[in-house]
Amino acid sequence: MATASLNPADTEKLSKLRSDVAGLNQISENEKSGFINLVSRYLSGEAQHVEWSKINTPTDEVVVPYETLAIPNEDLSETKNLLDKLVVLKLNGGLGTTMGCTGPKSVIEVRNGMTFLDLIVKQIESLNSKYGCSVPLLLMNSFNTHEDTLKIVEKYSASNIEIHTFNQSQYPRLVVEDFVPLPCKGQTSKDGWYPPGHGDVFPSLLNSGKLDALLSRGKEYAFVANSDNLGAVVDLKILNHLIQNKNEYCMEVTPKTLADVKGGTLISYEGKVQLLEIAQVPDEHVNEFKSIEKFKIFNTNNLWLNLNAIKRLVEADALKMEIIPNPKEVDGVKVLQLETAAGAAIRFFDHAIGINVPRSRFLPVKATSDLLLVQSDLYTVVDGFVIRNNARSIPANPSIELGPEFKKVGNFLSRFKSIPSIIELDSLKVTGDVWFGANITLKGNVTIDAKPGEKLEIPDGVVLENKVINGPQDI
């Protein structure tokens, strides 16, 4: 604990906080000590300052090009042995509120009536059937998604995969004004608490008992990814490479486009591979960080982790990831959430690497504009795998911007009779009260801008190519 470097005022603050937290009976002793540890590190100003001049671009040994990975032996029994060392862990703590949905985001319907979770289960079922292996699925929930997820996974009870759930930690929000936990001030509902980011996956795996259970069954690696990334599927070449080279940690990175300028990137720093996030970048270097000239890759948050290494590092309390302060407001009260990110743990693992993967492994659905891409003819679904249509020759996906009328999933779906064909689309921008008919084809650059207060209907069957549409006369 970092109390040694605290000034007297902060020591007193922490001491009072410790006694306040001791009285919170909604959380475990592990959660209480984890929270106090995090706050203590935050107060001590234990920030990792990056010296810009020491940053080096990682070599191909550190960030391995995907195309150089060896193809594993195609013998079925060897593949089964490989997969029997693996577990798939999806980060399932997020709610679908930004897309106007209630409950876990992973139960939003993505395509053909299937949710994120349906697709994930289908993928692992097909692996287990094909190779006769036993890859389990773990879902790390937050207190926000836990109960709903337990009900939802019941529908997979007849499946050939084991599904395990565990909860990440629940920490109290801190009132900025007097450094008291919000639940101690009467906010006993869910609003008094927060899940402390996906960096919490490491202690939560151990504290839940799941880590020891997996190790006792001979599991060695976890493939960890966000549940809303449809490109995050099991890859035998990556798994084989990590086992052969005894890499304890692997972060999948992919080439940056101008849409990804804020994403964290991997650097070589003082002989170690490290994640550099925009928050760590000195103001005078932010434009350099955002350029795609110097920093060409970004973190997809697809991570491969050695389970024995997680146990070793958590038990030694060695994972001191950078703390991300996240200020919020609850009912007019300013509060602070302290969080960590799993990607920042890379520098604590032995033989940690990045793998520069194809863009197809990064297909997150963060907004309805992403949903439009995935539901269109740009993709098909085979055995739960979302596969890009070869008919599109351009590697990049179209850029899509939809106005606020399309923000919620329900509104988005009601405004399309059917999803347009976008194989040859470069960009689409839609603003205002726009409604799409069936069997529409969009090509090139299309802008549709309904005048304020006017409803604009795009009729069935039209082909719009390189058009700017402000009213029916432009169609």
Side-chain angles (χ1 to χ4, degrees):
M1 192 141 340
T3 38
S5 54
L6 295 183
N7 63 39
D10 283 342
T11 303
E12 194 177 318
K13 244 187 199 178
L14 192 67
S15 173
K16 183 179 179 310
L17 184 66
R18 190 181 277 111
S19 64
D20 286 341
V21 168
L24 296 172
N25 55 13
Q26 302 96 319
I27 55 175
S28 68
E29 292 307 312
N30 278 330
E31 286 169 315
K32 289 174 187 177
S33 64
F35 175 67
I36 293 295
N37 197 350
L38 195 61
V39 175
S40 167
R41 285 178 54 217
Y42 171 72
L43 287 174
S44 70
E46 182 201 296
Q48 220 241 333
H49 296 292
V50 176
E51 281 188 52
W52 203 253
S53 59
K54 290 186 179 177
I55 290 175
N56 289 307
T57 303
T59 63
D60 283 359
E61 280 78 53
V62 177
V63 176
V64 181
Y66 180 81
E67 56 277 12
T68 66
L69 299 183
I71 295 168
N73 190 321
E74 289 187 15
D75 179 77
L76 276 181
S77 65
E78 293 220 7
T79 305
K80 176 189 184 306
N81 289 342
L82 200 60
L83 284 168
D84 277 336
K85 295 181 167 125
L86 183 70
V87 303
V88 173
L89 195 166
K90 295 288 181 174
L91 304 170
N92 192 51
L95 293 166
T97 42
T98 50
M99 292 168 76
C101 299
T102 55
K105 189 176 177 186
S106 57
V107 298
I108 292 174
E109 282 190 14
V110 181
R111 191 170 172 122
N112 309 349
M114 286 191 286
T115 65
F116 289 106
L117 210 45
D118 292 338
L119 293 170
I120 291 162
V121 168
K122 247 185 156 27
Q123 290 163 17
I124 301 174
E125 276 177 347
S126 65
L127 273 180
N128 285 348
S129 299
K130 184 173 178 182
Y131 297 107
C133 55
S134 175
V135 176
L137 171 64
L138 271 78
L139 299 171
M140 182 170 86
N141 299 318
S142 65
F143 59 87
N144 288 316
T145 60
H146 171 65
E147 284 176 20
D148 286 339
T149 303
L150 285 185
K151 291 190 197 111
I152 291 153
V153 296
E154 283 174 12
K155 78 177 200 181
Y156 308 118
S157 56
S159 166
N160 70 353
I161 64 172
E162 286 177 43
I163 301 179
H164 301 269
T165 64
F166 67 101
N167 272 18
Q168 71 178 114
S169 304
Q170 175 174 333
Y171 286 173
R173 285 173 159 158
L174 267 177
V175 179
V176 172
E177 188 186 12
D178 53 10
F179 227 65
V180 171
L182 193 55
C184 294
K185 305 199 91 165
Q187 181 54 270
T188 50
S189 71
K190 281 185 175 177
D191 284 346
W193 307 88
Y194 75 99
H198 45 61
D200 187 59
V201 67
F202 305 107
S204 294
L205 253 182
L206 184 72
N207 294 339
S208 65
K210 297 295 180 193
L211 184 56
D212 286 331
L214 293 167
L215 288 168
S216 70
R217 293 172 48 193
K219 301 295 179 189
E220 292 180 24
Y221 277 88
F223 173 45
V224 179
N226 296 344
S227 60
D228 65 4
N229 180 5
L230 295 170
V233 299
V234 170
D235 187 294
L236 289 168
K237 279 168 72 173
I238 295 177
L239 178 60
N240 181 57
H241 183 87
L242 303 181
I243 290 171
Q244 297 299 323
N245 293 279
K246 298 185 167 51
N247 302 112
E248 290 187 347
Y249 186 115
C250 167
M251 175 187 289
E252 292 185 35
V253 293
T254 199
K256 251 190 200 185
T257 67
L258 291 172
D260 316 304
V261 292
K262 289 183 179 172
T265 192
L266 283 183
I267 56 171
S268 285
Y269 191 78
E270 297 184 331
K272 286 211 150 191
V273 62
Q274 190 167 313
L275 181 67
L276 177 67
E277 297 274 16
I278 194 163
Q280 295 166 276
V281 177
D283 291 348
E284 65 271 23
H285 293 290
V286 166
N287 286 340
E288 196 181 340
F289 176 83
K290 286 183 175 179
S291 92
I292 56 180
E293 301 307 312
K294 180 167 180 176
F295 299 103
K296 295 182 166 66
I297 52 173
F298 76 99
N299 171 21
T300 63
N301 217 39
N302 298 350
L303 308 172
W304 299 75
L305 308 166
N306 180 285
L307 297 173
N308 279 299
I310 294 175
K311 184 173 167 71
R312 181 188 79 235
L313 291 164
V314 174
E315 287 182 342
D317 193 24
L319 294 172
K320 308 283 191 195
M321 283 98 81
E322 288 75 22
I323 295 169
I324 306 158
N326 188 356
K328 299 260 181 185
E329 205 166 287
V330 179
D331 297 335
V333 178
K334 286 187 167 55
V335 296
L336 185 62
Q337 299 181 180
L338 301 177
E339 302 171 11
T340 60
I346 190 167
R347 62 197 174 93
F348 301 105
F349 286 77
D350 293 339
H351 311 297
I353 59 167
I355 293 182
N356 194 350
V357 298
R359 184 76 187 200
S360 58
R361 293 189 57 76
F362 184 66
L363 186 61
V365 178
K366 301 290 183 196
T368 51
S369 51
D370 301 321
L371 213 47
L372 174 55
L373 288 172
V374 172
Q375 293 188 348
S376 74
D377 55 353
L378 204 52
Y379 290 94
T380 51
V381 175
V382 180
D383 291 336
F385 295 91
V386 179
I387 297 165
R388 202 161 180 270
N389 190 334
N390 287 331
R392 182 174 175 87
S393 54
I394 308 160
N397 276 344
S399 142
I400 295 178
E401 282 181 62
L402 301 175
E405 295 81 2
F406 292 80
K407 186 178 178 186
K408 295 186 174 178
V409 174
N411 295 345
F412 164 83
L413 293 172
S414 68
R415 286 176 178 272
F416 289 95
K417 265 199 210 168
S418 69
I419 300 294
S421 167
I422 59 171
I423 296 274
E424 295 176 58
L425 179 69
D426 295 321
S427 72
L428 171 67
K429 187 170 184 183
V430 182
T431 40
D433 187 12
V434 179
W435 298 76
F436 289 81
N439 306 316
I440 291 166
T441 302
L442 304 174
K443 297 181 179 184
N445 297 297
V446 178
T447 300
I448 304 170
D449 185 6
K451 293 190 180 81
E454 288 186 20
K455 180 178 181 179
L456 177 53
E457 296 189 25
I458 310 297
D460 295 354
V462 299
V463 176
L464 303 178
E465 183 168 6
N466 294 323
K467 287 213 161 187
V468 175
I469 292 163
N470 300 113
Q473 70 284 355
D474 301 321
I475 296 169

